[in-house]
């Protein structure tokens, strides 16, 4: 009888995360949908090291937990901070990497691309509780500590409700593409609102300041 040898195959990476953030690895069995990322696609395998392959037998899918009183916002902590937790009225500074659940996880904005004159990325600042940013981000930041990094899946009810809510992509075409996707009347009429309006953010709480 011929013996078969099992070989562990390398695990490719599908989603980009800035270099100073922990690397992501995803199973090659994950299939990209033409119309949207399914939530199972979001349940990727995270690695804290530089390992280039994983054993299929030992694969464990991380769990997103629904934040209390969040309206359905689900979060996965990639790094727990060791600083203060913000309160409403504090000025918080965050870095974020925003993607749509629709359009194969299209990245619509990232603060890591917004550079100052020295080439350093500029964080996004806002007053927590002001209502100027989408509520899903405020909910996620409220239970973070400075230095923490969290991935959140934000449902439409806690995401963009209108075109004036921040964070807004600075590029006009990215902004238009974002809103024409989320508020597409034809697809909304077809019952696709939950897919179109779901956004995914990687949020790094950089600092906070008490007013």
């Amino acid at each position: 009888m011929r013996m078969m040898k099992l070989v562990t195959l390398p695990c490719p990476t599908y989603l980009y995360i800035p270099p100073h953030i922990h690397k992501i690895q995803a199973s090659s069995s994950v299939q990209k949908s033409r119309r949207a990322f399914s939530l199972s696609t979001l349940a990727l395998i995270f690695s804290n090291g530089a390992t280039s392959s994983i054993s299929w037998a030992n694969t464990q899918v991380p769990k997103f937990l629904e934040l209390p009183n969040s309206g359905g916002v689900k979060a996965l902590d990639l790094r727990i901070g060791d600083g203060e937790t913000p309160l409403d009225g504090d000025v918080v500074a965050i870095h974020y990497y925003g993607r749509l659940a629709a359009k194969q996880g299209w990245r619509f904005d990232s603060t890591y691309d917004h550079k100052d004159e020295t080439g350093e990325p500029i964080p996004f600042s806002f007053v927590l509780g002001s209502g100027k940013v989408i509520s899903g981000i405020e909910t996620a930041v409220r239970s973070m500590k400075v230095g923490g990094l969290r991935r959140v899946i934000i449902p439409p009810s806690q995401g963009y409700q209108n075109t004036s809510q921040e964070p807004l992509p600075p590029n006009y075409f990215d902004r238009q593409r974002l809103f024409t996707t989320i508020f597409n009347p034809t697809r909304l009429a077809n019952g696709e609102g939950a897919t179109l309006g779901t956004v995914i953010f990687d949020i790094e709480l950089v600092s906070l300041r008490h007013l």
Side-chain angles (χ1 to χ4, degrees), residues 106 163 168-180:
W106 169 64
T163 58
L168 295 174
N171 183 289
Y172 172 80
F173 296 101
D174 287 342
R175 192 162 58 248
Q176 289 299 103
R177 186 183 182 192
L178 173 67
F179 293 133
T180 54

Side-chain angles (χ1 to χ4, degrees), residues 128-189:
L128 189 61
S130 65
K132 291 184 177 180
V133 303
I134 59 177
S135 58
I137 287 182
E138 288 202 318
T139 298
V141 170
R142 279 193 183 97
S143 55
M144 294 179 68
K145 293 182 178 181
V146 172
L149 177 66
R150 171 175 282 181
R151 172 163 295 176
V152 290
I153 304 172
I154 301 175
S157 62
Q158 305 302 311
Y160 290 98
Q161 300 301 303
N162 57 65
T163 58
S164 64
Q165 286 183 296
E166 297 180 322
L168 295 174
N171 183 289
Y172 172 80
F173 296 101
D174 287 342
R175 192 162 58 248
Q176 289 299 103
R177 186 183 182 192
L178 173 67
F179 293 133
T180 54
T181 299
I182 292 177
F183 303 121
N184 186 301
T186 302
R187 297 183 68 178
L188 288 174

Side-chain angles (χ1 to χ4, degrees), residues 16 97-100 103 105-110 113 174 177:
Y16 168 79
Y97 184 87
R99 302 187 298 277
L100 273 179
K103 293 186 179 292
W106 169 64
R107 186 203 72 171
F108 58 84
D109 194 18
S110 172
D113 295 336
D174 287 342
R177 186 183 182 192

